Amino acid sequence: AASQMPGRAMIHELPTLTPKYPIMEFRIVHNKANFKGWEILDVTLNCMVAVDVSPSVGHESNDLKVLFALEVINEDDDTPRPVSKQTYHKVQLETENHPYFKRVWYCRHILNEQSPLLTKAVRNEIVASGSWPPDRNTPLGVRSALIKFKTMIITFNGTSNITSRSVFIEKRYRYEDIFIGWKFAGLIYLDDSTYGEGYAMVDLSLIHDIRPQTGGGEEPLESSEVSPSVSHHHRLSRHRRIESNLFESCSNDQTVRNVNIPYKKTENLASDAASKI
């Protein structure tokens, strides 16, 4: 069994259940979605983010729970001392378990006062106002609210229905992999020829396609904050803005409404950048 995670994450419109905050979203697509019997059972997702901090900062000075910390020690001096340090924090996803993964899974994190992806100053603003700060309802406002994290790590564990073997995938995202104000293009359609009338199929060629969030307000793809290591030509040629007639799987797309707060959404710019298992 195999799954893919696009190489970008999106921040875009908000779910109606949490109308006060933007969300960050990525999606997982099953490579065997169009074949019967290849479901992955009892899937568990875990997500954490690594943040560079000053070596002099202690765990107790951080208002977020630290899963663990890594330090690099300079032992050349007479007195060994830490020269760099990273702390790792859990990123809470709205849904972290899936009993029967067959096609597409949209995974979301709410950018609220408990999010380790936001700066401490912004989290304090949210606590004071009780919602997302109105003056940050722009691509630049959302971008500046994010910490420049080192890496965000997502792990996927489950059991193949056809082989009974464990299935594992790990995907890492950088700060530059976040697109604000974009959402994934739909990739599920109804097919009458393969398994009978009205069978849901996945167009895997659309896995990396994105489109502006409803209502606009998207961050320009030419922004210097978006994948600076990818050339301008490759960034635009690999990205496709489409008006898709396909529908997104599921109910969770129906719980989303646009409030014009850009949310960075994950887009894989190249198929070879997608994680596979």
Side-chain angles (χ1 to χ4, degrees), residues 113 121-131:
E113 71 279 3
V122 172
R123 285 186 276 111
N124 288 339
E125 289 179 33
I126 292 174
V127 171
S129 64
S131 63

Side-chain angles (χ1 to χ4, degrees), residues 100 127 202 220 274:
Y100 194 78
V127 171
V202 176

